[in-house]
Amino acid sequence: MSATHSDDDSPTPAGEPGLDVGSWNRFIPSLTHLLQQTGPDDGAIGVRLTAAAPIVTAATAAYARPEGGLRRLLGRRRRLSPSPLPPVLTVRTRPDAVVLTAPLLDADGRARLGEDALAALDSLGWKRQDDAMVLHVVDAAAAAELSTRVLIEVFDVAHPADLVAVAEPAAAPEA
């Protein structure tokens, strides 16, 4: 498991009961079951899945978005500083969907995701909303499979035991 960091947004060495991290083939159905058991009407929770290591370097960090209007058209793009924190995927049940969220920045405005990760998420249908990439999925099983695909292909998580999984109340912040 990951080492504990001093800030609130970092992983802790505790896994979520009910998630089977023995293999990806066991993780997917256990995440599906957890999402189905925590419907929006009975105290829905979210599951925050944190990778073990950062995936962004100074050369791969996402570019800052220029502020509105003419500045956006004429502004020179600059790369953000890379975050020392690993990427996070939050999976939350809602009345009409399961929402997958990957924050782009850490609390200090540093990039948690690189340009390659943003392109990969975009190709999977994710949309940028504020400072996060978001995908709405209707079915819990599809959400669990897509979450796993992102963890493996985008966040470079080799095995589910390398994740830190934390259940959060529905009112908890997305990042």
Side-chain angles (χ1 to χ4, degrees):
M1 290 290 194
S2 299
T4 303
H5 298 280
S6 62
D7 60 26
D8 292 335
D9 200 23
S10 62
T12 57
E16 175 54 36
L19 281 180
D20 188 336
V21 296
S23 71
W24 290 116
N25 287 334
R26 294 179 0 209
F27 176 80
I28 294 169
S30 68
L31 180 57
T32 301
H33 181 73
L34 183 64
L35 295 172
Q36 291 171 337
Q37 297 303 311
T38 57
D41 297 331
D42 55 89
I45 62 168
V47 179
R48 184 176 59 179
L49 303 166
T50 305
I55 60 171
V56 178
T57 65
T60 64
Y63 286 98
R65 294 180 92 178
E67 299 295 324
L70 187 57
R71 191 179 296 190
R72 181 175 223 159
L73 294 174
L74 299 176
R76 187 173 164 165
R77 292 175 26 141
R78 67 170 178 83
R79 286 201 190 270
L80 295 167
S81 298
S83 176
L85 299 176
V88 173
L89 174 64
T90 303
V91 184
R92 295 195 186 286
T93 57
R94 299 284 189 241
D96 59 341
V98 177
V99 181
L100 309 179
T101 306
L104 300 174
L105 308 173
D106 64 15
D108 295 323
R110 298 171 296 192
R112 278 188 133 156
L113 300 177
E115 288 296 317
D116 54 344
L118 295 177
L121 292 174
D122 186 55
S123 71
L124 292 171
W126 291 58
K127 302 294 179 209
R128 188 173 192 150
Q129 293 181 355
D130 299 320
D131 287 331
M133 294 295 286
V134 178
L135 180 67
H136 295 260
V137 183
V138 176
D139 178 63
E145 289 180 22
L146 282 167
S147 296
T148 302
R149 183 173 180 187
V150 167
L151 292 168
I152 295 169
E153 295 176 11
V154 181
F155 292 1
D156 296 328
V157 178
H159 193 278
D162 297 333
L163 290 170
V164 175
V166 178
E168 302 175 321
E174 295 287 330

